[in-house]
Each structure stands twice: as C-alpha cells, then as structure tokens.
Amino acid sequence: MAAQREVLIVLIERIVPERIRRAEYQAEISWTPIGKALLRAVAGTMDAAVA
Amino acid sequence: MTLPGSVPSSGLRCTSGVPRQASRRYLLTGLLYCPRCGERMHGNARMGRPGPTRSRLPMWRSSLSGALSTDSTCAWLAHGPRLETVVLAQVLPLVETVTSTEVGLRAALHRAWQAIQEPAGAATSAKAIARLEQEAGRARQRLTRAAVLYADAEIDRHGYELLRDQAHTDLVAAEVELERLSGIAPVPKLPDLEAVLRQAGRLVDRFARR
Ligand SMILES: [Zn+2]
C-alpha cells in the first residue's frame, strides 16, 4: 500500500471528489509538476506519431 | 472493480476533527480534499455503514472548521473503493502508457521529457538575462559615478546631466527587457525519467495486472 501511495504522491497534488449521483463520483485531479510533465510528454509522443 | 493491494475502504470522510493517524493506511490518504468545505479528507473504516460489510468498507469525510459553519463537522462522505476506482481510472492509463516497454514509445517519451526541460529559446533567454543584469549593474555604477564626479566638482552640471541621462536610459532599457524575459516560464527541473518510470511501474504492477 505504501509503495502505491508513494507513486500517487509523485503524480498527484490533490484530488477533489464530486458526487455525480448516489455512490458515483468524479474526481478533479491536480497533478504535481512531474505528473504534468508526464502528461505533456505523453501528449508530445502522440503529436510526434501523428506528424 | 476490486483493487488488489488496496486496503478495503468503506468510506472517505471529511474529518478535520478526526485524529490523523486513523487514515494513514489508505491509498488516497493525504490527497483528498472535501468538495464542500475544502478540508483534507480522512478515511475510516468505522464510518462505513453498519452491516456485514461494515468492517471492510472505509468511508472518507472531512470536518468543517472555522467560522463558516456553526456545525463543527462537515458531513460530506464518500465511498472509499468507488473513489479509488475513479482516481485510478484517470491515473493508470497515463502510468501504463509511460511505463510501456515498447522501444519506439520509450524513445519518444525520452525525447519529449528532454524537450519539456529545454523549451525553445530558454538557453538564449538565460544568457540574455545574465547580459542584461550586467548592463543594468554597469548603468547603476555610472549613475553613482556621475553623482560623485558632480559632487566633487570634477564635472559641471551640464556634464553631470549628460552622464546621468545616458546611464538612466541604459538602465531603463535593461530593466524593461529583464522584466519581459522574467515573464517567460522558468525551465522545470525534472528528475531522471527512468527513475520516475520505475516508480510509476510499481503502481501498474499492483493494479493493472488483474
Ligand atoms: Zn467537508
């Protein structure tokens, strides 16, 4: 558990859940700089694949 | 969806008044904030609904603190496992992509990681900032020097004003350009990509292979 939590902490700064209906949720995730960088890097690889 | 390795969570609760140690063992501990009061949320299995599954299902909640409410606790509750599922559904695709062992993708990721840290013109901007700071420093010295020369009667008022105006013009020009360049986002300092991927892989190992 601790190991998985460590990974999430590297990627995620904060999560604000929202209940969309009974027992169903959405989560607004604020990413850490590393999380954002990974998202951008993945987006970059996709752009490169399309080009 | 069952999440192997996850502590059975029954409910996530907004609990600013609840001892912090109670929820240290949950996957989302420290990351969840209450949508109602903004407080950090804490998990607690005892907050789950009564019944046969009560002891296995944590709930999360926060407490409302401060003067906004006459109530000392915020009652917003969330179901732990469902919330974990929603969060992991957003995180795992990213993690699975970045930890892919496909050679082409991995190479592209390394290039993209490098590119993020070296945005176009960043190195040039850094050099320009250093040069402008030197220019501004020299202009300030010239202003001081002109004032000293005038005070010591080594130059007349006209000479002083000439030196002062030239130095002041140079100083303002350097400062305006420095301000423009300082508006450019700094280059992020990122850790080694492989180290990040190794760590991310641990999440996939536990949750994605099911
Ligand atoms: Zn709350």
Side-chain angles (χ1 to χ4, degrees):
Chain A
M1 172 57 52
Q4 288 81 59
R5 233 172 63 73
E6 275 172 31
V7 176
L8 288 187
I9 286 167
V10 168
L11 300 175
I12 296 174
E13 217 157 63
R14 119 193 225 119
I15 303 163
V16 179
E18 182 197 351
R19 186 180 290 109
I20 47 177
R21 58 181 73 88
R22 189 172 180 277
E24 264 188 62
Y25 302 93
Q26 282 177 346
E28 187 189 309
I29 295 179
S30 302
W31 302 90
T32 61
I34 291 175
K36 284 180 195 164
L38 279 178
L39 286 166
R40 286 170 63 189
V42 168
T45 62
M46 284 169 182
D47 290 347
V50 170
Chain B
M1 179 168 78
T2 306
L3 301 167
S6 121
V7 166
S9 41
S10 64
L12 312 185
R13 182 176 198 174
C14 180
T15 54
S16 36
V18 171
R20 197 162 268 221
Q21 58 180 25
S23 64
R24 196 172 287 165
R25 58 210 170 98
Y26 301 116
L27 183 68
L28 302 180
T29 297
L31 294 171
L32 280 174
Y33 287 80
C34 177
R36 184 179 292 168
C37 69
E39 289 289 329
R40 183 171 280 186
M41 298 185 73
H42 302 271
N44 191 328
R46 285 176 300 173
M47 287 187 275
R49 286 202 178 86
T53 60
R54 174 177 175 149
S55 62
R56 299 174 52 234
L57 296 173
M59 297 289 286
W60 288 78
R61 82 180 291 177
S62 72
S63 297
L64 189 62
S65 59
L68 288 174
S69 172
T70 52
D71 193 347
S72 63
T73 56
C74 168
W76 202 88
L77 275 167
H79 186 273
R82 294 205 176 113
L83 211 43
E84 283 187 6
T85 301
V86 166
V87 170
L88 289 172
Q90 288 187 58
V91 176
L92 283 177
L94 169 68
V95 173
E96 283 171 341
T97 304
V98 299
T99 54
S100 162
T101 51
E102 202 269 304
V103 177
L105 176 66
R106 184 60 73 103
L109 191 61
H110 272 276
R111 285 195 298 273
W113 192 253
Q114 190 77 14
I116 289 168
Q117 296 169 85
E118 293 170 6
T124 313
S125 295
K127 279 183 191 166
I129 286 170
R131 178 178 55 77
L132 288 164
E133 281 172 345
Q134 283 182 350
E135 282 179 14
R138 280 196 296 268
R140 285 191 201 95
Q141 285 173 357
R142 280 160 54 206
L143 277 173
T144 306
R145 176 84 182 135
V148 170
L149 288 173
Y150 182 55
D152 291 346
E154 292 195 30
I155 53 174
D156 60 13
R157 182 161 189 89
H158 177 70
Y160 163 68
E161 286 174 351
L162 204 64
L163 288 176
R164 181 199 64 188
D165 291 349
Q166 282 174 348
H168 189 252
T169 302
D170 292 346
L171 179 60
V172 169
E175 285 180 340
V176 166
E177 186 62 5
L178 273 171
E179 198 171 313
R180 187 186 71 80
L181 288 174
S182 68
I184 295 170
V187 180
K189 284 191 174 60
L190 295 173
D192 176 58
L193 177 60
E194 285 301 324
V196 172
L197 297 183
R198 273 196 301 278
Q199 196 162 11
R202 292 151 75 185
L203 190 70
V204 176
D205 288 344
R206 292 306 296 262
F207 294 122
R209 291 175 191 167
R210 58 175 185 266

mmCIF file with all atom_site columns, all heavy atoms in Angstrom, chain B residues 13-16 33-41 61-64 73-77, ligand 1:
data_model
loop_
_atom_site.group_PDB
_atom_site.id
_atom_site.type_symbol
_atom_site.label_atom_id
_atom_site.label_alt_id
_atom_site.label_comp_id
_atom_site.label_asym_id
_atom_site.label_entity_id
_atom_site.label_seq_id
_atom_site.pdbx_PDB_ins_code
_atom_site.Cartn_x
_atom_site.Cartn_y
_atom_site.Cartn_z
_atom_site.occupancy
_atom_site.B_iso_or_equiv
_atom_site.pdbx_formal_charge
_atom_site.auth_seq_id
_atom_site.auth_comp_id
_atom_site.auth_asym_id
_atom_site.auth_atom_id
_atom_site.pdbx_PDB_model_num
ATOM   1   N  N   . ARG B 1 13 ? -14.086 10.315 4.328  1.00 0.00 ? 13 ARG B N   1
ATOM   2   C  CA  . ARG B 1 13 ? -14.836 11.257 5.123  1.00 0.00 ? 13 ARG B CA  1
ATOM   3   C  C   . ARG B 1 13 ? -14.070 12.553 5.294  1.00 0.00 ? 13 ARG B C   1
ATOM   4   O  O   . ARG B 1 13 ? -12.866 12.560 5.458  1.00 0.00 ? 13 ARG B O   1
ATOM   5   C  CB  . ARG B 1 13 ? -15.064 10.603 6.490  1.00 0.00 ? 13 ARG B CB  1
ATOM   6   C  CG  . ARG B 1 13 ? -15.871 11.420 7.415  1.00 0.00 ? 13 ARG B CG  1
ATOM   7   C  CD  . ARG B 1 13 ? -16.118 10.634 8.685  1.00 0.00 ? 13 ARG B CD  1
ATOM   8   N  NE  . ARG B 1 13 ? -17.230 11.217 9.411  1.00 0.00 ? 13 ARG B NE  1
ATOM   9   C  CZ  . ARG B 1 13 ? -17.744 10.672 10.500 1.00 0.00 ? 13 ARG B CZ  1
ATOM   10  N  NH1 . ARG B 1 13 ? -17.277 9.539  10.955 1.00 0.00 ? 13 ARG B NH1 1
ATOM   11  N  NH2 . ARG B 1 13 ? -18.731 11.253 11.106 1.00 0.00 ? 13 ARG B NH2 1
ATOM   12  N  N   . CYS B 1 14 ? -14.823 13.630 5.292  1.00 0.00 ? 14 CYS B N   1
ATOM   13  C  CA  . CYS B 1 14 ? -14.268 14.936 5.559  1.00 0.00 ? 14 CYS B CA  1
ATOM   14  C  C   . CYS B 1 14 ? -14.112 15.041 7.071  1.00 0.00 ? 14 CYS B C   1
ATOM   15  O  O   . CYS B 1 14 ? -15.093 15.062 7.786  1.00 0.00 ? 14 CYS B O   1
ATOM   16  C  CB  . CYS B 1 14 ? -15.242 15.981 5.020  1.00 0.00 ? 14 CYS B CB  1
ATOM   17  S  SG  . CYS B 1 14 ? -14.728 17.643 5.265  1.00 0.00 ? 14 CYS B SG  1
ATOM   18  N  N   . THR B 1 15 ? -12.878 15.008 7.596  1.00 0.00 ? 15 THR B N   1
ATOM   19  C  CA  . THR B 1 15 ? -12.669 14.863 9.040  1.00 0.00 ? 15 THR B CA  1
ATOM   20  C  C   . THR B 1 15 ? -11.616 15.782 9.602  1.00 0.00 ? 15 THR B C   1
ATOM   21  O  O   . THR B 1 15 ? -10.609 15.302 10.087 1.00 0.00 ? 15 THR B O   1
ATOM   22  C  CB  . THR B 1 15 ? -12.132 13.466 9.367  1.00 0.00 ? 15 THR B CB  1
ATOM   23  O  OG1 . THR B 1 15 ? -10.983 13.298 8.575  1.00 0.00 ? 15 THR B OG1 1
ATOM   24  C  CG2 . THR B 1 15 ? -13.083 12.370 9.195  1.00 0.00 ? 15 THR B CG2 1
ATOM   25  N  N   . SER B 1 16 ? -11.812 17.057 9.595  1.00 0.00 ? 16 SER B N   1
ATOM   26  C  CA  . SER B 1 16 ? -10.747 17.873 10.188 1.00 0.00 ? 16 SER B CA  1
ATOM   27  C  C   . SER B 1 16 ? -10.644 17.666 11.692 1.00 0.00 ? 16 SER B C   1
ATOM   28  O  O   . SER B 1 16 ? -9.637  18.009 12.264 1.00 0.00 ? 16 SER B O   1
ATOM   29  C  CB  . SER B 1 16 ? -10.885 19.347 9.824  1.00 0.00 ? 16 SER B CB  1
ATOM   30  O  OG  . SER B 1 16 ? -12.197 19.721 9.775  1.00 0.00 ? 16 SER B OG  1
ATOM   31  N  N   . TYR B 1 33 ? -9.426  16.134 -0.899 1.00 0.00 ? 33 TYR B N   1
ATOM   32  C  CA  . TYR B 1 33 ? -9.947  17.332 -0.239 1.00 0.00 ? 33 TYR B CA  1
ATOM   33  C  C   . TYR B 1 33 ? -11.454 17.387 -0.436 1.00 0.00 ? 33 TYR B C   1
ATOM   34  O  O   . TYR B 1 33 ? -11.964 17.102 -1.509 1.00 0.00 ? 33 TYR B O   1
ATOM   35  C  CB  . TYR B 1 33 ? -9.271  18.585 -0.798 1.00 0.00 ? 33 TYR B CB  1
ATOM   36  C  CG  . TYR B 1 33 ? -7.847  18.705 -0.332 1.00 0.00 ? 33 TYR B CG  1
ATOM   37  C  CD1 . TYR B 1 33 ? -6.831  17.966 -0.948 1.00 0.00 ? 33 TYR B CD1 1
ATOM   38  C  CD2 . TYR B 1 33 ? -7.511  19.490 0.755  1.00 0.00 ? 33 TYR B CD2 1
ATOM   39  C  CE1 . TYR B 1 33 ? -5.518  18.043 -0.504 1.00 0.00 ? 33 TYR B CE1 1
ATOM   40  C  CE2 . TYR B 1 33 ? -6.198  19.570 1.212  1.00 0.00 ? 33 TYR B CE2 1
ATOM   41  C  CZ  . TYR B 1 33 ? -5.211  18.847 0.574  1.00 0.00 ? 33 TYR B CZ  1
ATOM   42  O  OH  . TYR B 1 33 ? -3.919  18.920 1.032  1.00 0.00 ? 33 TYR B OH  1
ATOM   43  N  N   . CYS B 1 34 ? -12.138 17.760 0.629  1.00 0.00 ? 34 CYS B N   1
ATOM   44  C  CA  . CYS B 1 34 ? -13.593 17.770 0.628  1.00 0.00 ? 34 CYS B CA  1
ATOM   45  C  C   . CYS B 1 34 ? -14.128 18.816 -0.360 1.00 0.00 ? 34 CYS B C   1
ATOM   46  O  O   . CYS B 1 34 ? -13.707 19.968 -0.332 1.00 0.00 ? 34 CYS B O   1
ATOM   47  C  CB  . CYS B 1 34 ? -14.083 18.066 2.038  1.00 0.00 ? 34 CYS B CB  1
ATOM   48  S  SG  . CYS B 1 34 ? -15.871 18.196 2.143  1.00 0.00 ? 34 CYS B SG  1
ATOM   49  N  N   . PRO B 1 35 ? -15.059 18.435 -1.226 1.00 0.00 ? 35 PRO B N   1
ATOM   50  C  CA  . PRO B 1 35 ? -15.623 19.390 -2.184 1.00 0.00 ? 35 PRO B CA  1
ATOM   51  C  C   . PRO B 1 35 ? -16.535 20.410 -1.513 1.00 0.00 ? 35 PRO B C   1
ATOM   52  O  O   . PRO B 1 35 ? -16.836 21.441 -2.088 1.00 0.00 ? 35 PRO B O   1
ATOM   53  C  CB  . PRO B 1 35 ? -16.423 18.492 -3.132 1.00 0.00 ? 35 PRO B CB  1
ATOM   54  C  CG  . PRO B 1 35 ? -16.794 17.307 -2.309 1.00 0.00 ? 35 PRO B CG  1
ATOM   55  C  CD  . PRO B 1 35 ? -15.651 17.098 -1.346 1.00 0.00 ? 35 PRO B CD  1
ATOM   56  N  N   . ARG B 1 36 ? -16.942 20.124 -0.308 1.00 0.00 ? 36 ARG B N   1
ATOM   57  C  CA  . ARG B 1 36 ? -17.876 21.035 0.349  1.00 0.00 ? 36 ARG B CA  1
ATOM   58  C  C   . ARG B 1 36 ? -17.154 22.070 1.207  1.00 0.00 ? 36 ARG B C   1
ATOM   59  O  O   . ARG B 1 36 ? -17.398 23.258 1.095  1.00 0.00 ? 36 ARG B O   1
ATOM   60  C  CB  . ARG B 1 36 ? -18.865 20.247 1.213  1.00 0.00 ? 36 ARG B CB  1
ATOM   61  C  CG  . ARG B 1 36 ? -19.929 21.144 1.834  1.00 0.00 ? 36 ARG B CG  1
ATOM   62  C  CD  . ARG B 1 36 ? -20.907 20.345 2.668  1.00 0.00 ? 36 ARG B CD  1
ATOM   63  N  NE  . ARG B 1 36 ? -21.742 19.476 1.855  1.00 0.00 ? 36 ARG B NE  1
ATOM   64  C  CZ  . ARG B 1 36 ? -22.517 18.514 2.345  1.00 0.00 ? 36 ARG B CZ  1
ATOM   65  N  NH1 . ARG B 1 36 ? -22.531 18.296 3.644  1.00 0.00 ? 36 ARG B NH1 1
ATOM   66  N  NH2 . ARG B 1 36 ? -23.239 17.767 1.560  1.00 0.00 ? 36 ARG B NH2 1
ATOM   67  N  N   . CYS B 1 37 ? -16.218 21.604 2.057  1.00 0.00 ? 37 CYS B N   1
ATOM   68  C  CA  . CYS B 1 37 ? -15.578 22.551 2.983  1.00 0.00 ? 37 CYS B CA  1
ATOM   69  C  C   . CYS B 1 37 ? -14.106 22.789 2.644  1.00 0.00 ? 37 CYS B C   1
ATOM   70  O  O   . CYS B 1 37 ? -13.481 23.678 3.214  1.00 0.00 ? 37 CYS B O   1
ATOM   71  C  CB  . CYS B 1 37 ? -15.709 22.070 4.422  1.00 0.00 ? 37 CYS B CB  1
ATOM   72  S  SG  . CYS B 1 37 ? -14.733 20.594 4.780  1.00 0.00 ? 37 CYS B SG  1
ATOM   73  N  N   . GLY B 1 38 ? -13.553 22.006 1.724  1.00 0.00 ? 38 GLY B N   1
ATOM   74  C  CA  . GLY B 1 38 ? -12.175 22.234 1.313  1.00 0.00 ? 38 GLY B CA  1
ATOM   75  C  C   . GLY B 1 38 ? -11.137 21.621 2.234  1.00 0.00 ? 38 GLY B C   1
ATOM   76  O  O   . GLY B 1 38 ? -9.947  21.696 1.967  1.00 0.00 ? 38 GLY B O   1
ATOM   77  N  N   . GLU B 1 39 ? -11.585 21.014 3.323  1.00 0.00 ? 39 GLU B N   1
ATOM   78  C  CA  . GLU B 1 39 ? -10.637 20.393 4.254  1.00 0.00 ? 39 GLU B CA  1
ATOM   79  C  C   . GLU B 1 39 ? -10.110 19.079 3.683  1.00 0.00 ? 39 GLU B C   1
ATOM   80  O  O   . GLU B 1 39 ? -10.761 18.447 2.848  1.00 0.00 ? 39 GLU B O   1
ATOM   81  C  CB  . GLU B 1 39 ? -11.322 20.103 5.604  1.00 0.00 ? 39 GLU B CB  1
ATOM   82  C  CG  . GLU B 1 39 ? -11.639 21.332 6.426  1.00 0.00 ? 39 GLU B CG  1
ATOM   83  C  CD  . GLU B 1 39 ? -10.395 21.993 7.002  1.00 0.00 ? 39 GLU B CD  1
ATOM   84  O  OE1 . GLU B 1 39 ? -9.408  21.273 7.291  1.00 0.00 ? 39 GLU B OE1 1
ATOM   85  O  OE2 . GLU B 1 39 ? -10.409 23.215 7.151  1.00 0.00 ? 39 GLU B OE2 1
ATOM   86  N  N   . ARG B 1 40 ? -8.930  18.681 4.176  1.00 0.00 ? 40 ARG B N   1
ATOM   87  C  CA  . ARG B 1 40 ? -8.392  17.383 3.786  1.00 0.00 ? 40 ARG B CA  1
ATOM   88  C  C   . ARG B 1 40 ? -9.316  16.287 4.314  1.00 0.00 ? 40 ARG B C   1
ATOM   89  O  O   . ARG B 1 40 ? -9.865  16.402 5.405  1.00 0.00 ? 40 ARG B O   1
ATOM   90  C  CB  . ARG B 1 40 ? -6.988  17.216 4.379  1.00 0.00 ? 40 ARG B CB  1
ATOM   91  C  CG  . ARG B 1 40 ? -6.323  15.937 3.975  1.00 0.00 ? 40 ARG B CG  1
ATOM   92  C  CD  . ARG B 1 40 ? -4.878  15.950 4.404  1.00 0.00 ? 40 ARG B CD  1
ATOM   93  N  NE  . ARG B 1 40 ? -4.091  16.730 3.462  1.00 0.00 ? 40 ARG B NE  1
ATOM   94  C  CZ  . ARG B 1 40 ? -2.769  16.817 3.512  1.00 0.00 ? 40 ARG B CZ  1
ATOM   95  N  NH1 . ARG B 1 40 ? -2.102  16.202 4.446  1.00 0.00 ? 40 ARG B NH1 1
ATOM   96  N  NH2 . ARG B 1 40 ? -2.117  17.538 2.623  1.00 0.00 ? 40 ARG B NH2 1
ATOM   97  N  N   . MET B 1 41 ? -9.471  15.247 3.518  1.00 0.00 ? 41 MET B N   1
ATOM   98  C  CA  . MET B 1 41 ? -10.372 14.169 3.931  1.00 0.00 ? 41 MET B CA  1
ATOM   99  C  C   . MET B 1 41 ? -9.584  13.007 4.532  1.00 0.00 ? 41 MET B C   1
ATOM   100 O  O   . MET B 1 41 ? -8.420  12.803 4.214  1.00 0.00 ? 41 MET B O   1
ATOM   101 C  CB  . MET B 1 41 ? -11.199 13.684 2.732  1.00 0.00 ? 41 MET B CB  1
ATOM   102 C  CG  . MET B 1 41 ? -12.087 14.770 2.168  1.00 0.00 ? 41 MET B CG  1
ATOM   103 S  SD  . MET B 1 41 ? -13.156 14.167 0.859  1.00 0.00 ? 41 MET B SD  1
ATOM   104 C  CE  . MET B 1 41 ? -14.313 13.210 1.834  1.00 0.00 ? 41 MET B CE  1
ATOM   105 N  N   . ARG B 1 61 ? -14.345 11.295 4.962  1.00 0.00 ? 61 ARG B N   1
ATOM   106 C  CA  . ARG B 1 61 ? -15.064 12.543 5.209  1.00 0.00 ? 61 ARG B CA  1
ATOM   107 C  C   . ARG B 1 61 ? -14.111 13.595 5.738  1.00 0.00 ? 61 ARG B C   1
ATOM   108 O  O   . ARG B 1 61 ? -12.992 13.323 6.109  1.00 0.00 ? 61 ARG B O   1
ATOM   109 C  CB  . ARG B 1 61 ? -16.231 12.319 6.160  1.00 0.00 ? 61 ARG B CB  1
ATOM   110 C  CG  . ARG B 1 61 ? -15.889 12.296 7.626  1.00 0.00 ? 61 ARG B CG  1
ATOM   111 C  CD  . ARG B 1 61 ? -17.122 12.065 8.470  1.00 0.00 ? 61 ARG B CD  1
ATOM   112 N  NE  . ARG B 1 61 ? -18.040 13.195 8.447  1.00 0.00 ? 61 ARG B NE  1
ATOM   113 C  CZ  . ARG B 1 61 ? -19.213 13.186 9.064  1.00 0.00 ? 61 ARG B CZ  1
ATOM   114 N  NH1 . ARG B 1 61 ? -19.621 12.107 9.699  1.00 0.00 ? 61 ARG B NH1 1
ATOM   115 N  NH2 . ARG B 1 61 ? -19.979 14.231 9.045  1.00 0.00 ? 61 ARG B NH2 1
ATOM   116 N  N   . SER B 1 62 ? -14.556 14.813 5.752  1.00 0.00 ? 62 SER B N   1
ATOM   117 C  CA  . SER B 1 62 ? -13.764 15.903 6.321  1.00 0.00 ? 62 SER B CA  1
ATOM   118 C  C   . SER B 1 62 ? -14.590 16.543 7.412  1.00 0.00 ? 62 SER B C   1
ATOM   119 O  O   . SER B 1 62 ? -15.752 16.231 7.592  1.00 0.00 ? 62 SER B O   1
ATOM   120 C  CB  . SER B 1 62 ? -13.433 16.942 5.253  1.00 0.00 ? 62 SER B CB  1
ATOM   121 O  OG  . SER B 1 62 ? -14.590 17.663 4.926  1.00 0.00 ? 62 SER B OG  1
ATOM   122 N  N   . SER B 1 63 ? -13.966 17.463 8.117  1.00 0.00 ? 63 SER B N   1
ATOM   123 C  CA  . SER B 1 63 ? -14.732 18.261 9.065  1.00 0.00 ? 63 SER B CA  1
ATOM   124 C  C   . SER B 1 63 ? -14.641 19.702 8.645  1.00 0.00 ? 63 SER B C   1
ATOM   125 O  O   . SER B 1 63 ? -13.616 20.149 8.167  1.00 0.00 ? 63 SER B O   1
ATOM   126 C  CB  . SER B 1 63 ? -14.168 18.118 10.467 1.00 0.00 ? 63 SER B CB  1
ATOM   127 O  OG  . SER B 1 63 ? -14.294 16.792 10.884 1.00 0.00 ? 63 SER B OG  1
ATOM   128 N  N   . LEU B 1 64 ? -15.687 20.387 8.827  1.00 0.00 ? 64 LEU B N   1
ATOM   129 C  CA  . LEU B 1 64 ? -15.683 21.805 8.507  1.00 0.00 ? 64 LEU B CA  1
ATOM   130 C  C   . LEU B 1 64 ? -15.130 22.549 9.718  1.00 0.00 ? 64 LEU B C   1
ATOM   131 O  O   . LEU B 1 64 ? -15.620 22.417 10.814 1.00 0.00 ? 64 LEU B O   1
ATOM   132 C  CB  . LEU B 1 64 ? -17.104 22.266 8.210  1.00 0.00 ? 64 LEU B CB  1
ATOM   133 C  CG  . LEU B 1 64 ? -17.251 23.665 7.647  1.00 0.00 ? 64 LEU B CG  1
ATOM   134 C  CD1 . LEU B 1 64 ? -16.545 23.780 6.318  1.00 0.00 ? 64 LEU B CD1 1
ATOM   135 C  CD2 . LEU B 1 64 ? -18.722 23.978 7.463  1.00 0.00 ? 64 LEU B CD2 1
ATOM   136 N  N   . THR B 1 73 ? -18.585 19.727 12.409 1.00 0.00 ? 73 THR B N   1
ATOM   137 C  CA  . THR B 1 73 ? -18.138 18.724 11.450 1.00 0.00 ? 73 THR B CA  1
ATOM   138 C  C   . THR B 1 73 ? -18.895 18.862 10.136 1.00 0.00 ? 73 THR B C   1
ATOM   139 O  O   . THR B 1 73 ? -20.049 19.235 10.101 1.00 0.00 ? 73 THR B O   1
ATOM   140 C  CB  . THR B 1 73 ? -18.385 17.292 11.990 1.00 0.00 ? 73 THR B CB  1
ATOM   141 O  OG1 . THR B 1 73 ? -19.758 17.180 12.308 1.00 0.00 ? 73 THR B OG1 1
ATOM   142 C  CG2 . THR B 1 73 ? -17.526 17.004 13.187 1.00 0.00 ? 73 THR B CG2 1
ATOM   143 N  N   . CYS B 1 74 ? -18.177 18.552 9.058  1.00 0.00 ? 74 CYS B N   1
ATOM   144 C  CA  . CYS B 1 74 ? -18.795 18.554 7.740  1.00 0.00 ? 74 CYS B CA  1
ATOM   145 C  C   . CYS B 1 74 ? -19.202 17.116 7.457  1.00 0.00 ? 74 CYS B C   1
ATOM   146 O  O   . CYS B 1 74 ? -18.420 16.200 7.647  1.00 0.00 ? 74 CYS B O   1
ATOM   147 C  CB  . CYS B 1 74 ? -17.786 19.041 6.702  1.00 0.00 ? 74 CYS B CB  1
ATOM   148 S  SG  . CYS B 1 74 ? -18.303 18.757 5.009  1.00 0.00 ? 74 CYS B SG  1
ATOM   149 N  N   . ALA B 1 75 ? -20.397 16.955 7.022  1.00 0.00 ? 75 ALA B N   1
ATOM   150 C  CA  . ALA B 1 75 ? -20.932 15.595 6.896  1.00 0.00 ? 75 ALA B CA  1
ATOM   151 C  C   . ALA B 1 75 ? -20.675 14.962 5.524  1.00 0.00 ? 75 ALA B C   1
ATOM   152 O  O   . ALA B 1 75 ? -21.172 13.884 5.252  1.00 0.00 ? 75 ALA B O   1
ATOM   153 C  CB  . ALA B 1 75 ? -22.433 15.618 7.174  1.00 0.00 ? 75 ALA B CB  1
ATOM   154 N  N   . TRP B 1 76 ? -19.907 15.627 4.689  1.00 0.00 ? 76 TRP B N   1
ATOM   155 C  CA  . TRP B 1 76 ? -19.724 15.074 3.336  1.00 0.00 ? 76 TRP B CA  1
ATOM   156 C  C   . TRP B 1 76 ? -18.948 13.769 3.426  1.00 0.00 ? 76 TRP B C   1
ATOM   157 O  O   . TRP B 1 76 ? -17.846 13.719 3.932  1.00 0.00 ? 76 TRP B O   1
ATOM   158 C  CB  . TRP B 1 76 ? -18.988 16.074 2.444  1.00 0.00 ? 76 TRP B CB  1
ATOM   159 C  CG  . TRP B 1 76 ? -19.248 15.817 0.986  1.00 0.00 ? 76 TRP B CG  1
ATOM   160 C  CD1 . TRP B 1 76 ? -20.266 16.304 0.249  1.00 0.00 ? 76 TRP B CD1 1
ATOM   161 C  CD2 . TRP B 1 76 ? -18.480 14.995 0.101  1.00 0.00 ? 76 TRP B CD2 1
ATOM   162 N  NE1 . TRP B 1 76 ? -20.195 15.839 -1.042 1.00 0.00 ? 76 TRP B NE1 1
ATOM   163 C  CE2 . TRP B 1 76 ? -19.112 15.034 -1.158 1.00 0.00 ? 76 TRP B CE2 1
ATOM   164 C  CE3 . TRP B 1 76 ? -17.331 14.208 0.260  1.00 0.00 ? 76 TRP B CE3 1
ATOM   165 C  CZ2 . TRP B 1 76 ? -18.636 14.336 -2.266 1.00 0.00 ? 76 TRP B CZ2 1
ATOM   166 C  CZ3 . TRP B 1 76 ? -16.845 13.515 -0.828 1.00 0.00 ? 76 TRP B CZ3 1
ATOM   167 C  CH2 . TRP B 1 76 ? -17.502 13.592 -2.084 1.00 0.00 ? 76 TRP B CH2 1
ATOM   168 N  N   . LEU B 1 77 ? -19.550 12.717 2.906  1.00 0.00 ? 77 LEU B N   1
ATOM   169 C  CA  . LEU B 1 77 ? -18.960 11.385 2.968  1.00 0.00 ? 77 LEU B CA  1
ATOM   170 C  C   . LEU B 1 77 ? -18.759 10.837 1.566  1.00 0.00 ? 77 LEU B C   1
ATOM   171 O  O   . LEU B 1 77 ? -19.538 11.132 0.661  1.00 0.00 ? 77 LEU B O   1
ATOM   172 C  CB  . LEU B 1 77 ? -19.911 10.424 3.684  1.00 0.00 ? 77 LEU B CB  1
ATOM   173 C  CG  . LEU B 1 77 ? -19.894 10.353 5.200  1.00 0.00 ? 77 LEU B CG  1
ATOM   174 C  CD1 . LEU B 1 77 ? -21.119 9.603  5.681  1.00 0.00 ? 77 LEU B CD1 1
ATOM   175 C  CD2 . LEU B 1 77 ? -18.637 9.679  5.698  1.00 0.00 ? 77 LEU B CD2 1
HETATM 176 ZN ZN  . ZN  C 2 .  ? -16.092 18.726 4.288  1.00 0.00 ? 1  ZN  C ZN  1
#
